[in-house]
Amino acid sequence: MNMRKYVKLVGLLLLSFSIVFISNHGKVEAKTTNDLDNEINELNKKGNDVNKKKKDVSDESSSVKKEKSKNKKEQTSVEEQLAEINTELEETKSNILAKEEEIEKTVQEINDLDNEIEQLKEDIIELEERIEKREELLRDRLRSIQEAGGDIPFLSVVLSSKSFNELISRTSAVNSIMDQDKNIMIEHEQDQKELEEKQVAVEDKKASVEKKKEEQESQKASLESLEAKLDKQNKEKESIMAALKEEFEELENYEFTLDEEKEILQQQEEAILKAKELAESEKAEIEEAERQAKLEAERQAAAEREKEKEQASQASSSSNASTSKKQSSNTQSSASSGNPAPPLQSGGNGVLNWPTASKNVSSGYGPRWGTEHKGIDIAAGKGTAVHAAQSGVVSRVVTGCVEGDRSCGGGFGNHIMIVHQLNGKTYTTIYAHLSSVNVSNGQSVSSGQHIGGIGNTGDSYGAHLHFEVHPGGYGGRGTAANPMGYLP
């Protein structure tokens, strides 16, 4: 929330309390119709100001509603984006797990191929050893034949045969042995060739599988990079969402403040209308008294003309009677609106009365605990009667605060604001931390009227009355003045 906007709103809210009330109870001297016309004009001006403020607040409220709607749309959009990112993130994590399983299988396949290659190497070595032994055996046989004179052993085998059948058999046996040796050698060579080819094939397969593993690891790295990117996006969106929610909450609080200001302005408007009605009523009473006085004066003048012989004595008598009746009429006019308050000292001390019977000031006006104390604290027991410092109209009442809730009522707790019109000047008085309230918004009160009881609500540490005075009307805490300058 823009702090400047907030300060502007608070200023507007505080200024809205600056209303004027013309009270017959608050008069210190008889008023003329010109005085009342001026006051009615001033009330009309104040009414126009209130209407303008109401329009400003209404416009601001509409703007806040639009901002809230825009914020909600943005939240919905971010939520959808978050859902998409989370879906993609979950899918990516699943793909990473699947890829890890593939890599694990590939590694196992490589291990199996390594084992197969090792086995083939052992088989090749074993076969080579058998071939070498067979070749050695054949070499030994050939050496024996050569040492025996070449073909003699074979001829000896033939010639030593006792029969033709035996000759055939011995010849076939020798040939079979030679053929068998030759076949064994051929098979050994074929087996060796196959093993070597198989070894090459397995090694090629291993190279292929290792390449596949590299590709899988590269794919996994890409997925992990995507996961990191999605995680970052997710955190960014969550941060945006948190900011939007915080902004929405601020807008709601701001809207609540505007609603409260609307209520205050409505109360102010009602108070101004009531003050205007009272002023117009008083003006009508004065005008009627003046009209009756004028008629009486005309009747007396006619009587004087008819009694020319007794002009001197009767004129004096008639004049005294007319003056007496006019004064009586004015007195009755004032009485019809209520008993006037006793004359107040003008220009300072004594304009207001003490709001309690106690005059024990426990904390004065001015610097206190590093801040400015804008009023005086009057110590007294809980429930002690609080009285209106002068006649006026109640412009604000806050109730429902309990002890311990220090923020209630803006720190004032249960409190009352009264606007007074005294000696042609407006004053607002504040009575805070009350335990009870006996008046309502817009109510006219008389000087000394019991309006509530001393308490310990709001930002308070013990039963007392916090009393403020704002000459010229309430325009924020900055318009407060030291109440001691206005008390007798």
Side-chain angles (χ1 to χ4, degrees):
M1 178 63 61
N2 189 308
M3 183 56 68
R4 186 168 56 185
K5 180 189 291 185
Y6 178 76
V7 171
K8 179 182 177 183
L9 169 65
V10 172
L12 184 61
L13 175 64
L14 297 178
L15 286 171
S16 70
F17 285 110
S18 179
I19 69 172
V20 180
F21 174 67
I22 302 174
S23 171
N24 287 316
H25 300 293
K27 292 187 300 178
V28 296
E29 60 183 17
K31 297 178 182 178
T32 66
T33 55
N34 286 335
D35 293 335
L36 291 169
D37 281 337
N38 291 335
E39 291 180 354
I40 291 171
N41 289 335
E42 183 66 20
L43 286 169
N44 285 330
K45 181 180 177 182
K46 292 287 184 182
N48 291 334
D49 290 342
V50 169
N51 286 331
K52 183 178 182 302
K53 290 174 185 175
K54 285 175 68 178
K55 184 180 182 303
D56 290 341
V57 171
S58 179
D59 291 344
E60 187 71 13
S61 182
S62 297
S63 176
V64 169
K65 283 183 171 60
K66 290 179 181 178
E67 289 183 27
K68 283 179 65 180
S69 177
K70 178 182 176 183
N71 180 285
K72 272 297 183 184
K73 289 179 180 178
E74 290 178 357
Q75 283 194 49
T76 300
S77 175
V78 173
E79 284 176 350
E80 291 173 351
Q81 292 173 26
L82 271 171
E84 291 176 0
I85 290 172
N86 285 326
T87 299
E88 189 175 356
L89 188 58
E90 290 301 318
E91 183 180 347
T92 301
K93 288 180 178 179
S94 178
N95 290 338
I96 289 174
L97 290 175
K99 193 57 65 178
E100 287 175 345
E101 291 177 359
E102 288 180 14
I103 292 173
E104 187 176 349
K105 289 179 180 179
T106 303
V107 170
Q108 184 60 46
E109 187 178 353
I110 291 173
N111 292 335
D112 292 342
L113 288 170
D114 283 337
N115 293 333
E116 187 177 350
I117 290 170
E118 290 302 319
Q119 184 61 47
L120 285 170
K121 287 180 179 179
E122 292 177 2
D123 292 344
I124 290 171
I125 292 171
E126 185 179 348
L127 182 59
E128 287 176 343
E129 289 176 352
R130 289 202 307 269
I131 292 172
E132 185 176 352
K133 288 179 180 179
R134 188 68 180 176
E135 286 178 345
E136 183 65 27
L137 180 61
L138 292 173
R139 280 195 296 270
D140 289 342
R141 186 177 296 171
L142 290 173
R143 275 197 302 270
S144 298
I145 293 172
Q146 288 175 354
E147 289 173 357
D151 295 333
I152 294 174
F154 179 73
L155 182 61
S156 176
V157 171
V158 172
L159 295 177
S160 62
S161 301
K162 294 178 179 181
S163 67
F164 182 75
N165 288 333
E166 185 178 357
L167 174 64
I168 297 301
S169 296
R170 286 187 175 191
T171 302
S172 298
V174 170
N175 289 329
S176 294
I177 290 170
M178 294 180 68
D179 289 340
Q180 186 177 2
D181 287 341
K182 183 179 180 181
N183 290 335
I184 289 172
M185 289 297 297
I186 292 172
E187 288 176 0
H188 279 336
E189 289 175 355
Q190 288 178 346
D191 289 343
Q192 184 178 8
K193 183 178 180 182
E194 287 177 2
L195 286 174
E196 289 173 350
E197 289 176 351
K198 188 174 182 180
Q199 181 182 1
V200 171
V202 171
E203 287 175 348
D204 289 344
K205 184 177 180 181
K206 178 187 174 185
S208 175
V209 173
E210 286 177 341
K211 184 176 180 182
K212 181 174 75 172
K213 178 174 173 287
E214 289 177 0
E215 291 175 353
Q216 289 172 338
E217 287 177 342
S218 175
Q219 291 168 357
K220 179 187 173 185
S222 297
L223 289 170
E224 288 174 342
S225 175
L226 176 60
E227 181 185 24
K229 179 181 178 182
L230 291 171
D231 274 332
K232 182 179 179 182
Q233 290 177 353
N234 189 61
K235 289 177 181 178
E236 288 174 352
K237 294 300 179 183
E238 285 178 346
S239 176
I240 293 172
M241 177 60 75
L244 286 170
K245 287 182 177 178
E246 182 179 356
E247 181 187 52
F248 188 81
E249 185 177 351
E250 289 178 352
L251 288 170
E252 281 196 322
N253 293 335
Y254 187 31
E255 187 176 30
F256 176 79
T257 303
L258 290 172
D259 291 339
E260 186 179 31
E261 185 178 358
K262 286 179 185 177
E263 181 182 350
I264 293 170
L265 289 171
Q266 183 62 35
Q267 294 167 356
Q268 180 182 6
E269 187 175 40
E270 292 171 359
I272 289 174
L273 289 174
K274 185 171 183 179
K276 184 178 176 182
E277 289 173 1
L278 290 173
E280 289 174 342
S281 175
E282 184 178 356
K283 177 183 175 184
E285 290 175 359
I286 292 174
E287 288 176 342
E288 178 62 19
E290 289 177 348
R291 189 177 70 83
Q292 292 294 336
K294 183 178 180 181
L295 291 174
E296 182 63 21
E298 289 175 352
R299 285 196 298 271
Q300 291 296 336
E304 287 174 1
R305 286 194 296 272
E306 293 176 356
K307 299 178 181 180
E308 291 179 357
K309 293 179 181 181
E310 301 174 296
Q311 182 175 1
S313 60
Q314 290 181 354
S316 177
S317 176
S318 176
S319 176
N320 290 337
S322 176
T323 301
S324 175
K325 289 179 181 180
K326 183 173 182 180
Q327 290 175 345
S328 174
S329 175
N330 287 334
T331 301
Q332 291 173 358
S333 175
S334 288
S336 66
S337 299
N339 296 325
L344 300 174
Q345 299 179 25
S346 60
N349 293 337
V351 173
L352 301 172
N353 299 317
W354 279 86
T356 62
S358 170
K359 296 184 181 179
N360 179 17
V361 177
S362 59
S363 182
Y365 177 91
R368 184 182 71 169
W369 307 329
T371 61
E372 284 291 320
H373 191 219
K374 296 299 184 178
I376 60 173
D377 291 344
I378 304 173
K382 183 177 178 180
T384 300
V386 176
H387 307 284
Q390 263 300 342
S391 301
V393 64
V394 177
S395 63
R396 180 167 173 79
V397 170
V398 172
T399 60
C401 297
V402 296
E403 292 185 19
D405 185 357
R406 302 199 180 281
S407 63
C408 189
F412 277 160
N414 299 322
H415 64 277
I416 300 169
M417 289 187 178
I418 302 177
V419 180
H420 317 272
Q421 184 74 16
L422 306 170
N423 298 333
K425 189 174 181 179
T426 303
Y427 296 84
T428 297
T429 52
I430 301 176
Y431 313 76
H433 308 314
L434 304 177
S435 61
S436 61
V437 172
N438 301 339
V439 293
S440 57
N441 284 324
Q443 180 179 338
S444 298
V445 295
S446 57
S447 178
Q449 181 175 332
H450 182 194
I451 59 174
I454 283 178
N456 187 30
T457 58
D459 191 9
S460 169
Y461 299 86
H464 70 281
L465 173 69
H466 176 80
F467 180 63
E468 290 187 14
V469 176
H470 294 258
Y474 189 81
R477 304 302 298 281
T479 61
N482 191 343
M484 298 302 291
Y486 301 88
L487 297 172

